[in-house]
Amino acid sequence: MTITQGRELPERGDEPPVAPGHSPLLGHLKPLLADPLGLLAALPHIGDVVELRFGRTPTYVVCSPEAAQQVLRNADHAFDKGGTFYENMRSIVGNGMATCPLSQHKRLRLLAQPAFRSDRMTGYARAIQKPVHAFTAAWCPGQTLDVLPEMRSLATRSTLATMFCRREFDREIAGLRQAVTDFVNHQTILRMIVPGLNRLPTAHNRRYRTSEARLLRFLDEEIAAYRKDHQDHGDLMSMFTTSLDSDRLSDREVRDTAMTVLLGGVTATAVGHAWALHQLSQDAALDNEVAKEAQAVALLDEGHPADEVMAQLPLIRGVVAEVLRRRAPSWIFPRVTVKDVVVGSRRIPAGAQVLLSPYVLHHHPGLFPAPENFDPHRWQGRDPHRAPGWLPFGAGASKCIGYELAFMDLTFSLAWITRSWRLEPGPHPVRPRPRLHLEPHGLTLRLTERSPH
């Protein structure tokens, strides 16, 4: 064993190299804020694990596919959810599956898993279809969309439709959408690194706390109503609030789980929708192929189950898989080491923060040839959920519990939109903006109605 700062580290492995470009006081904070994706993209050329510094605190970025799989599979129980990012997120969304320590995760997942059974997906798909059709029916030829806010509005409606079928939410939609928007705008990279900024008495923080209170009040009222009627409405909340077992989710656990699903369902889904529409707007031939496929398949309301319809959309599924590879909304996953560990060829001490970036791995040429090319045909005959290194929903025991529902939502919504609409590129350049999710900044698209099929 080797002694480092009073601790014994495993004999095997070297200390990770430090990325260049850091300053004595701020470390790598300046390049991270200036160009986070550029900083991350340079790290695999340095090593399989590379040290970044924020102030004097070391953070280790896992850059190789093998090392990333080791962290995500966590077979030696050396990693957990912790550090400043999760402290910040727990103060916002509670202690649900996305943020809780692994010691609590297994129980929460087992209790919530029935809500995501495959036999419930057709009901969820039909619930999504209605708001997508109603939303796009209000579009007009020649209209220019500010795409990300538009997709956030759509995702708010579709997420509420899968979560709460007990009643309509027309009156609450605008307020809930604004609350989610305030949540997104609150999650800057600087706030993730320095969560103390959230406690300052600023107008921005006060506005966020008002929106947070609105969301929590809404969820508490719905949980009480679902507990009272004891009925299965075919939605997620029915499954979260009813159980035949003696052990069940408490009201607080239901609220934390619902907050995670609601915010994740709206924010990540909206970003995925926006990037998919952007990509199709850049390739007229691909867009036409997608529209023909969408127009050729049977609709869900004609009695076909969701998995049958999904099987008839191989190209659209490939587009969604490729969007989630090239522009994964969740572009970084933090972990903390709970004991000394060797990752790849590098030693990492207990208590260190470890970052995994799907963005880095999804652009690794060893995993995805010509990674900068958008090629949905690379997924022909492949299940992306089983593809090594494809990590938009994470992997291992902490993989997003709603990954099947999220992928289905993106696939069907894209099919339903492209059946009737072509979206042409706007005049401004579009660039990825890393915040809580990897957003398309500056994306506007012009609507053109397709000829009836």
Side-chain angles (χ1 to χ4, degrees):
M1 304 292 286
T2 301
I3 306 297
T4 301
Q5 294 181 344
R7 289 188 298 271
E8 292 185 342
L9 288 177
E11 190 67 43
R12 184 170 60 86
D14 302 317
E15 292 185 3
V18 180
H22 63 285
S23 66
L25 291 177
L26 298 178
H28 294 92
L29 187 59
K30 185 176 179 179
L32 179 72
L33 295 177
D35 183 13
L37 297 182
L39 175 63
L40 290 174
L43 300 183
H45 303 288
I46 301 172
D48 55 353
V49 179
V50 180
E51 181 182 325
L52 295 179
R53 292 176 180 167
F54 304 118
R56 296 183 178 180
T57 304
T59 295
Y60 301 93
V61 182
V62 175
C63 301
S64 74
E66 297 79 13
Q69 285 296 326
Q70 178 187 343
V71 175
L72 287 169
R73 298 298 177 189
N74 199 17
D76 51 3
H77 306 289
F79 306 94
D80 206 342
K81 296 177 181 177
T84 55
F85 174 82
Y86 281 109
E87 290 170 10
N88 183 34
M89 292 304 296
R90 284 171 190 151
S91 72
I92 295 168
V93 303
N95 215 26
M97 279 177 288
T99 55
C100 71
L102 295 181
S103 60
Q104 303 171 29
H105 183 271
K106 184 176 181 180
R107 174 181 170 273
L108 292 178
R109 192 178 185 96
L110 285 173
L111 292 175
Q113 189 67 59
F116 298 95
R117 291 196 316 253
S118 295
D119 61 0
R120 297 184 70 88
M121 290 299 153
T122 297
Y124 297 153
R126 289 183 177 136
I128 293 168
Q129 180 175 278
K130 182 180 177 181
V132 172
H133 287 173
F135 191 76
T136 57
W139 288 354
C140 300
Q143 178 183 351
T144 297
L145 302 180
D146 187 355
V147 176
L148 186 55
E150 191 78 0
M151 291 301 101
R152 203 170 282 145
S153 295
L154 174 58
T156 300
R157 287 169 169 80
S158 62
T159 301
L160 288 174
T162 59
M163 292 186 70
F164 309 100
C165 293
R166 189 180 62 86
R167 65 182 181 89
E168 298 293 330
F169 291 99
D170 293 340
R171 293 181 179 179
E172 290 99 332
I173 285 289
L176 292 173
R177 182 191 62 213
Q178 185 57 52
V180 171
T181 299
D182 290 342
F183 165 81
V184 172
N185 291 338
H186 198 67
Q187 303 310 310
T188 64
I189 291 177
L190 186 58
R191 286 176 181 272
M192 294 179 206
I193 296 172
V194 189
L197 294 175
N198 299 321
R199 295 188 288 271
L200 297 177
T202 64
H204 180 91
N205 285 343
R206 286 192 293 271
R207 183 168 60 251
Y208 169 74
R209 293 303 172 194
T210 299
S211 293
E212 179 188 43
R214 180 199 296 267
L215 285 174
L216 294 177
R217 185 169 57 251
F218 165 76
L219 290 175
D220 286 341
E221 291 171 354
E222 287 302 307
I223 291 166
Y226 273 81
R227 293 284 202 207
K228 185 176 181 180
D229 72 13
H230 300 288
Q231 294 185 35
D232 183 356
H233 298 275
D235 54 15
L236 291 169
M237 187 57 72
S238 295
M239 299 300 286
F240 292 158
T241 54
T242 59
S243 175
L244 298 178
D245 299 326
S246 57
D247 188 17
R248 69 174 190 175
L249 294 170
S250 68
D251 285 358
R252 178 59 186 267
E253 288 170 337
V254 170
R255 189 178 79 177
D256 291 350
T257 299
M259 181 72 103
T260 300
V261 174
L262 176 62
L263 292 175
V266 174
T267 58
T269 302
V271 170
H273 284 325
W275 279 122
L277 294 175
H278 167 67
Q279 202 61 55
L280 292 182
S281 77
Q282 302 297 302
D283 188 335
L286 176 61
D287 179 73
N288 286 331
E289 283 186 75
V290 164
K292 288 179 181 178
E293 182 176 88
Q295 292 168 350
V297 302
L299 294 175
L300 287 161
D301 53 14
E302 295 171 357
H304 298 273
D307 58 351
E308 181 182 305
V309 179
M310 284 283 284
Q312 298 177 57
L313 299 171
L315 178 58
I316 297 176
R317 284 187 283 113
V319 168
V320 171
E322 188 69 347
V323 165
L324 294 178
R325 179 196 69 81
R326 196 162 179 269
R327 292 289 183 255
S330 297
W331 59 286
I332 202 158
F333 300 141
R335 293 290 186 268
V336 66
T337 54
V338 296
K339 61 182 180 181
D340 301 335
V341 65
V342 172
V343 178
S345 63
R346 304 297 180 177
R347 295 175 294 161
I348 300 179
Q353 181 154 284
V354 176
L355 300 180
L356 299 95
S357 173
Y359 178 85
V360 169
L361 296 171
H362 289 175
H363 289 77
H364 194 294
L367 291 171
F368 304 100
E372 295 304 320
N373 294 345
F374 185 87
D375 180 14
H377 299 288
R378 76 169 79 234
W379 299 104
Q380 186 172 356
R382 299 175 65 194
D383 180 357
H385 301 290
R386 298 179 180 273
W390 188 79
L391 301 171
F393 302 106
S398 295
K399 185 173 183 176
C400 172
I401 193 173
Y403 74 91
E404 185 179 358
L405 174 57
F407 193 90
M408 182 185 71
D409 185 343
L410 288 167
T411 302
F412 283 154
S413 295
L414 187 61
W416 292 324
I417 290 171
T418 55
R419 284 171 71 94
S420 302
W421 296 99
R422 156 97 174 127
L423 289 96
E424 299 175 346
H428 305 296
V430 178
R431 61 179 179 83
R433 179 172 64 177
R435 304 182 81 176
L436 180 63
H437 294 110
L438 189 60
E439 302 175 353
H441 183 62
L443 177 58
T444 60
L445 296 173
R446 185 175 180 273
L447 290 168
T448 300
E449 196 168 16
R450 294 192 194 274
S451 301
H453 60 280

